[in-house]
């Protein structure tokens, strides 16, 4: 495995590597979800490049940034278990941003104005800033992103198209714990009891899916909201079924089984998100 701390040395090195290059951007604290993306990048490319960078501009909440789990030695061990040929980029913020750590502004076609974009101000501008920077700097042929962050995946696909970047964006399925909880680096911060409660998000989504063909969306929505009424510390933030490309909410009077269900909830201070194809 080769670990690079600066983009300059990495770009130089990549010019000698064989294409296609597959990139997996991450914020570290790797789990099976990340590893599934890395395995796919290794399988489908001659060269696999993983970045580990906790991008400060995508955090709207300073405490969330301060508490974000870091485990670089374990991350490198897990990557090494997949293959010893993987290239890892672990920059400091100044290697990515220079002296001014600030987002650029992108037109994200309105995809950033709903759900996570509405709730976390500036989040997707921060994501778009760092991802486009990586894609422009390293020009990978393929870049892998999880459906766990489906809105992020759509936004990155949108921006690579509108900027005419040559990288093909590839979406990968969500990897879950056996109780259905979508794997996430932040799950480390949950107690065993909270992990059990957190699995209710997936339960809520599968419940919604089981009734989308039977009742109009208005009824699905109210039944899911009722389902979360008595879940003690788990506080539903939103549940929506949207068009899977535009993220526009489905008409309340219609049947919603062609949409995608999105859910967000708070467990104490921890924000949890999940989504599921309703068809
Ligand atoms: P993060 O480190 O949270 O920025 O995630 C890095 C990449 O891994 C993103 O493309 C995420 O969508 C993806 N990812 C995170 N959790 C999962 C999961 N449970 N299953 C599949 N992909 C995931």
């Amino acid at each position: 495995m080769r670990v690079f701390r600066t983009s300059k040395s990495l770009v130089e090195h990549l010019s000698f590597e064989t294409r296609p290059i597959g990139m997996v951007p991450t914020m570290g604290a790797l789990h099976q979800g990340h590893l599934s993306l890395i395995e796919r990048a290794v399988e489908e490319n001659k060269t696999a490049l993983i970045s580990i960078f906790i991008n400060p501009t995508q955090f709207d909440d300073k405490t969330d940034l301060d508490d974000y789990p870091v485990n670089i030695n374990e991350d490198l061990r897990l990557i090494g278990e997949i293959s010893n040929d993987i290239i890892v980029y672990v920059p400091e913020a100044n290697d990515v941003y220079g002296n001014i750590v600030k987002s650029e502004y992108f037109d994200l076609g309105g995809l950033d104005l709903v759900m996570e974009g509405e709730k976390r101000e500036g989040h997707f501008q921060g994501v778009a800033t760092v991802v486009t920077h990586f894609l422009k700097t390293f020009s990978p042929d393929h870049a892998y992103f999880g459906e766990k962050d489906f809105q992020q995946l759509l936004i990155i696909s949108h921006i690579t198209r509108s900027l005419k970047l040559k990288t093909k964006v590839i979406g990968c399925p969500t990897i879950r714990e056996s109780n259905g909880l979508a794997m996430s680096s932040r799950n480390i911060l949950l107690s065993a009891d909270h992990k059990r409660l957190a699995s209710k998000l997936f339960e809520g989504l599968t419940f919604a899916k089981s009734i989308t063909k039977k009742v109009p969306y208005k009824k699905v929505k109210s039944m899911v909201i009722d389902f979360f009424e008595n879940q003690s510390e788990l506080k539903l933030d939103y549940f929506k079924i949207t068009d899977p490309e535009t993220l526009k909410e489905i008409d309340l009077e219609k049947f919603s089984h062609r949409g995608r269900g999105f859910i967000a909830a708070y467990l104490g201070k921890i924000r949890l998100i999940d989504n599921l194809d309703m068809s």
Side-chain angles (χ1 to χ4, degrees):
M1 184 183 342
R2 301 233 15 209
V3 179
F4 292 83
R5 305 265 166 197
T6 68
S7 56
K8 188 167 178 292
S9 57
L10 175 55
V11 167
E12 217 169 273
H13 177 81
L14 287 176
S15 67
F16 298 106
E17 289 286 353
T18 323
R19 285 188 176 267
I21 297 174
M23 179 164 191
V24 182
T26 81
M27 298 205 295
L30 301 184
H31 50 68
Q32 212 48 50
H34 297 113
L35 300 181
S36 71
L37 270 53
I38 298 173
E39 278 161 9
R40 186 141 172 215
V42 167
E43 268 163 36
E44 296 180 358
N45 298 276
K46 293 266 191 237
T47 302
L49 166 63
I50 317 305
S51 60
I52 299 179
F53 176 56
I54 300 177
N55 175 33
T57 63
Q58 71 187 67
F59 286 80
D60 58 325
D61 173 356
K62 170 100 171 52
T63 321
D64 186 26
L65 173 60
D66 292 343
D67 292 349
Y68 201 84
V70 181
N71 203 347
I72 190 74
N73 291 336
E74 178 64 3
D75 289 348
L76 294 177
R77 191 188 69 73
L78 290 168
I79 294 171
E81 273 188 357
I82 294 176
S83 157
N84 258 327
D85 290 336
I86 296 175
I87 297 170
V88 189
Y89 173 49
V90 192
E92 295 289 338
N94 67 1
D95 193 58
V96 177
Y97 286 98
N99 290 330
I100 303 167
V101 181
K102 196 167 170 276
S103 290
E104 285 172 52
Y105 175 78
F106 296 91
D107 178 355
L108 301 174
L111 294 168
D112 57 326
L113 302 179
V114 294
M115 297 189 288
E116 291 311 286
E118 194 182 352
K119 301 288 171 169
R120 303 181 63 193
E121 212 193 321
H123 170 66
F124 287 119
Q125 294 295 339
V127 170
T129 299
V130 77
V131 172
T132 55
H133 173 74
F134 288 164
L135 301 188
K136 285 179 184 170
T137 309
F138 306 123
S139 301
D141 301 274
H142 305 125
Y144 297 81
F145 294 90
E147 288 181 352
K148 157 76 169 51
D149 304 288
F150 196 85
Q151 191 174 4
Q152 168 174 283
L153 170 62
L154 280 191
I155 285 175
I156 291 166
S157 304
H158 170 87
I159 192 87
T160 49
R161 269 197 312 276
S162 65
L163 297 179
K164 298 192 166 57
L165 302 180
K166 63 162 229 171
T167 307
K168 183 173 176 212
V169 172
I170 298 173
C172 305
T174 302
I175 305 296
R176 301 179 178 282
E177 307 278 0
S178 52
N179 67 4
L181 172 63
M183 291 194 180
S184 162
S185 302
R186 289 187 180 87
N187 292 355
I188 291 177
L189 306 171
L190 298 174
S191 66
D193 275 355
H194 277 182
K195 273 193 182 157
R196 260 193 302 280
L197 260 180
S199 70
K200 298 278 173 201
L201 268 78
F202 185 59
E203 215 179 291
L205 286 170
T206 44
F207 168 60
K209 181 169 175 158
S210 72
I211 55 175
T212 49
K213 289 197 183 89
K214 297 181 195 139
V215 294
Y217 172 40
K218 188 161 66 178
K219 182 77 182 156
V220 176
K221 199 167 177 174
S222 69
M223 286 173 84
V224 171
I225 291 169
D226 286 351
F227 175 85
F228 281 95
E229 279 288 90
N230 297 316
Q231 300 296 351
S232 62
E233 293 159 274
L234 187 65
K235 298 280 170 261
L236 181 66
D237 188 24
Y238 61 75
F239 164 75
K240 267 187 196 182
I241 299 182
T242 77
D243 177 283
E245 278 158 27
T246 63
L247 298 185
K248 291 213 164 60
E249 192 166 12
I250 300 285
D251 186 330
L252 283 168
E253 306 303 330
K254 296 224 166 100
F255 285 78
S256 50
H257 58 278
R258 285 209 186 79
R260 192 152 194 116
F262 292 86
I263 197 162
Y266 285 98
L267 200 43
K269 282 190 304 182
I270 312 288
R271 185 176 174 79
L272 303 162
I273 57 168
D274 202 349
N275 65 86
L276 190 68
D277 179 5
M278 293 286 120
S279 60

